[in-house]
Amino acid sequence: MKPRIVVLGCGRIGRMHADNIAAHSKTELAGVFDIDPRSAASVAKRHNVTEFSSTAEAIESPAVDAVLIAAPTSTHVELLEASVNAGKPVLCEKPIDLSLERVNRLKKRIAGSNVPVMLGFVRRFDPGHAAARKAAACGEIGEIHQVIITSRDPGMAPDGYIETSGGIYRDMTIHDLDLARFILDEDIATVSASGSRLVDPQLMVRCNDFDTVTVTLVSESGRQAMITNSRKAIYGYDQRVEIFGSQGMVISGNRRENELTRYGAETTGAAAKLQHFFIERYREAFLAEIDHFAAVVAGQASVPVGFEDGRIALLLADACGLSVAEGRTVRTDELT
């Protein structure tokens, strides 16, 4: 029997998850909930599923086997705990919360539970990124020395989004922090970060945030990971991973709208634009994530990226913020 998954939150990413679950051969969309009844009704009608009247009704329903949380970040802790208490496996979008203290308290409350909790760090499931990591893990490039992650959005997010996002390190860089840990497969010892307002100099005044950041992570053994983020790349959604080692290098590159390359009198090797944004760029990864979650719910696979991974990613994001605020390298053992 296919696991019946309810989606909590019907914004852009929630709608995408609902569509993917409904279309997937191994899952069934059990229903949806959103605080905005119009959003929930639209998705429920499109897939002919139940529109639940509350998160509690959705989580506790006997017609629901598992929960996918795509609601606002401020609700994640409450919904995670409710799902675990109801014995329902849960896939939660990142971050767990904007407060490491709240996450640590939740960790204590759900300690000892055997209910699977999976975090939505979807880049781990990207075919190119996963293949690069596998090649490095198999020793294809010798000992890993450096990981370089480039992640740039195609345009600035609206102020309303930025103001509630927790800042670029918790919102955007957190994906790359988790990906660096995934590739290095080693604890991070130190974090050094810088932040600038080069796209929008008034961003500090309006939103108290950065639009251009660089982060250097150093693992316990001295391996390095460098992350560069920008809120605006005029050429599209720039997503690249390079893993450099003692015996070579592997690169997971960008995705384009198509693979056509033009040669002529005016251009040499002109290629199509990069795919627009994360839903297009990571489409295969989102489908693979749902595929793996279905296997977890069915008891056929273990959780590949769990609660502790989400907690550590938030800790590293906080270390970035502290590094910028105090102008120094931060040891991760300073934070708990």
Side-chain angles (χ1 to χ4, degrees):
M1 178 174 142
K2 296 188 290 187
R4 300 164 297 178
I5 305 172
V6 68
V7 173
L8 306 182
C10 294
R12 176 172 56 177
I13 196 164
R15 292 194 301 271
M16 178 209 67
H17 279 306
D19 291 346
N20 287 346
I21 291 167
H24 203 289
S25 63
K26 297 180 182 178
T27 57
E28 178 182 332
L29 182 63
V32 296
F33 170 81
D34 194 278
I35 195 169
D36 179 359
R38 293 171 300 178
S39 297
S42 174
V43 178
K45 182 179 180 180
R46 181 162 71 249
H47 295 296
N48 191 29
V49 296
T50 301
E51 177 192 347
F52 289 102
S53 61
S54 68
T55 55
E57 180 190 24
I59 292 169
E60 295 168 9
S61 170
V64 168
D65 301 312
V67 179
L68 191 150
I69 300 172
T73 300
S74 59
T75 68
H76 288 185
V77 164
E78 173 190 347
L79 298 177
L80 263 171
E81 186 170 13
S83 300
V84 170
N85 288 342
K88 305 289 176 75
V90 55
L91 169 56
C92 181
E93 278 297 333
K94 65 80 197 170
I96 299 172
D97 194 77
L98 299 180
S99 165
L100 184 59
E101 182 180 356
R102 287 193 74 200
V103 173
N104 287 338
R105 289 201 299 266
L106 176 60
K107 178 182 177 179
K108 292 179 180 178
R109 292 199 296 272
I110 64 174
S113 170
N114 59 2
V115 176
V117 175
M118 185 166 152
L119 264 290
F121 286 111
V122 72
R123 295 178 192 186
R124 293 192 182 208
F125 295 92
D126 176 72
H129 296 355
R133 194 258 189 180
K134 182 178 180 181
C138 291
E140 185 176 321
I141 59 171
E143 291 292 325
I144 296 175
H145 289 175
Q146 293 176 321
V147 176
I148 301 173
I149 300 173
T150 301
S151 179
R152 299 175 181 138
D153 284 355
M156 289 287 292
D159 282 3
Y161 174 85
I162 293 174
E163 288 168 355
T164 60
S165 70
I168 192 169
Y169 297 114
R170 295 190 187 100
D171 169 48
M172 183 177 178
T173 314
I174 196 168
H175 272 295
D176 307 307
L177 295 168
D178 177 74
L179 190 59
R181 284 189 63 243
F182 174 61
I183 293 170
L184 291 173
D185 195 23
E186 190 176 6
D187 289 337
I188 303 301
T190 64
V191 177
S192 179
S194 61
S196 302
R197 300 170 187 92
L198 303 177
V199 178
D200 184 350
Q202 296 301 310
L203 191 62
M204 174 64 180
V205 177
R206 300 196 318 273
C207 303
N208 189 28
D209 199 10
F210 303 104
D211 55 43
T212 306
V213 303
T214 301
V215 177
T216 299
L217 309 174
V218 180
S219 73
E220 293 288 357
S221 70
R223 295 173 180 174
Q224 302 169 358
M226 286 146 284
I227 297 166
T228 58
N229 293 153
S230 173
R231 287 287 193 186
K232 185 178 181 181
I234 62 169
Y235 51 86
Y237 191 44
D238 190 358
Q239 298 286 300
R240 291 172 281 142
V241 174
E242 175 184 305
I243 311 175
F244 171 77
S246 59
Q247 300 298 318
M249 176 176 66
V250 290
I251 296 176
S252 174
N254 278 310
R255 295 290 188 89
R256 299 183 182 276
E257 292 177 352
N258 60 64
E259 297 308 311
L260 178 67
T261 305
R262 290 182 169 87
Y263 295 81
E266 302 298 326
T267 62
T268 302
K273 289 183 178 181
L274 301 182
Q275 290 180 327
H276 176 64
F277 206 18
F278 70 94
I279 287 180
E280 296 86 0
R281 168 63 178 82
Y282 288 110
R283 174 168 174 74
E284 290 176 276
F286 279 115
L287 292 172
E289 180 183 55
I290 292 299
D291 188 75
H292 199 107
F293 184 55
V296 168
V297 176
Q300 298 168 351
S302 59
V303 172
V305 50
F307 185 93
E308 185 63 6
D309 295 301
R311 192 189 75 83
I312 293 174
L314 181 62
L315 184 151
L316 293 175
D318 282 0
C320 290
L322 183 61
S323 174
V324 172
E326 299 186 355
R328 66 180 179 89
T329 296
V330 174
R331 287 199 57 83
T332 54
D333 57 16
E334 296 178 43
L335 306 175
T336 57

